[in-house]
Amino acid sequence: LEQGNHRTAQGALLATASEHRNWEWGYLVNEAWPPADDPDSRNVCVREPDDTVAAFWEKATSRAIVPLNFHESVIQYPIASSKDGKRIFSSPGNGNIYVWGARTGVELDHFSVSDGFIISFAMSHADSFVAAGDTGGITRLVDIETHKILWTYSSPDRKPIHSVWFSPNDRYVVVGYFGGAMDVLDADVKSGQLVTGFTRHNKEVTSLQFLTDGKQVITASRDGSVRVWELNTGREVEET
């Protein structure tokens, strides 16, 4: 981290055995991830230096929203805004997701998602569900209003999940793992089944996003490559 190599720090921290994951480990994990920006949301998050406060800014107006004091401990990645810009979602690293009023900073709700550490979660475009991935390689779809876990998918090799995202029509959830593998899951509330899985990178998938047509996904990896591939077939379209 002192050398500015956040990706290497992430890999080393997530390889740490569970018995050594104390508060210092949590602090370093927090330092290893930058603030999150959801391109489909109206807001972007910027963490303050003390790591307990997050300031949200409206993209359209560049106007600052009231800073939010989320947790007594440091804010852990991830953190996100609802698509309508009214609610903020965060995870302090204990497997819970907290919901906050974007204008007031008041806690509105919280619910348990995982027994482990949530590395990444994504909001559905309808703001109805959250898909969360943890260090145990498990993805869960949760109803935001009822807190019910609708389905659970465990990757065969149980590698930590680095990236999670919904397709534009909320039909699929794409999951990127440490190691470079990716899974496409059926996001239907009664499913969660694997649609297809493949490996397109040599190292962890650090970021992924659907193109506007919903038929292609662009991914970035710690192996230094950015790839565009077809959702249904896994065929690579472009690499840079």
Side-chain angles (χ1 to χ4, degrees):
L1 286 172
E2 291 179 352
Q3 296 173 355
N5 194 332
H6 286 66
R7 298 307 180 193
T8 299
Q10 289 172 12
L13 288 164
L14 291 174
T16 303
S18 58
E19 61 267 25
H20 300 304
R21 296 185 180 187
N22 54 15
W23 72 267
E24 292 172 318
W25 177 87
Y27 177 83
L28 290 172
V29 169
N30 176 70
E31 290 294 303
W33 269 278
D37 176 18
D38 181 347
D40 294 325
S41 174
R42 298 179 182 180
N43 303 330
V44 61
C45 171
V46 180
R47 282 186 313 205
E48 298 297 328
D50 67 358
D51 288 324
T52 62
V53 178
F56 276 78
W57 298 72
E58 288 183 335
K59 294 178 181 178
T61 64
S62 298
R63 185 175 65 86
I65 302 173
V66 61
L68 307 178
N69 289 276
F70 285 147
H71 308 288
E72 293 180 358
S73 60
V74 294
I75 301 172
Q76 304 293 353
Y77 191 91
I79 186 170
S81 172
S82 61
K83 301 301 185 290
D84 61 12
K86 296 179 179 180
R87 293 174 293 175
I88 307 301
F89 295 79
S90 68
S91 178
N94 59 2
N96 293 336
I97 291 178
Y98 287 77
V99 187
W100 312 84
R103 300 290 178 181
T104 64
V106 174
E107 181 183 333
L108 304 176
D109 199 2
H110 70 272
F111 48 92
S112 178
V113 176
S114 170
D115 294 331
F117 176 64
I118 299 172
I119 303 178
S120 178
F121 65 75
M123 311 299 302
S124 67
H125 292 78
D127 283 338
S128 300
F129 308 107
V130 58
D134 64 20
T135 53
I138 300 176
T139 305
R140 297 175 175 88
L141 184 73
V142 184
D143 187 305
I144 294 173
E145 299 302 326
T146 67
H147 307 164
K148 181 180 179 180
I149 297 177
L150 303 173
W151 52 254
T152 298
Y153 174 78
S154 299
S155 64
D157 58 10
R158 303 298 295 271
K159 287 186 178 296
I161 296 169
H162 199 291
S163 307
V164 180
W165 207 258
F166 280 91
S167 63
N169 60 4
D170 289 337
R171 182 178 178 182
Y172 301 106
V173 171
V174 176
V175 182
Y177 300 90
F178 275 74
M182 290 173 286
D183 284 336
V184 179
L185 308 178
D186 187 340
D188 185 273
V189 295
K190 297 181 179 180
S191 181
Q193 298 297 310
L194 178 67
V195 176
T196 186
F198 39 83
T199 300
R200 289 291 178 267
H201 293 283
N202 298 321
K203 296 182 179 179
E204 64 262 32
V205 181
T206 55
S207 181
L208 56 84
Q209 177 62 259
F210 278 86
L211 299 185
T212 54
D213 62 4
K215 297 179 180 179
Q216 295 179 333
V217 176
I218 183 169
T219 58
S221 170
R222 189 167 167 256
D223 63 13
S225 67
V226 176
R227 301 172 186 266
V228 180
W229 44 276
E230 293 180 345
L231 176 66
N232 293 330
T233 66
R235 185 179 68 85
E236 188 173 317
V237 179
E238 185 177 352
E239 177 187 359
T240 59

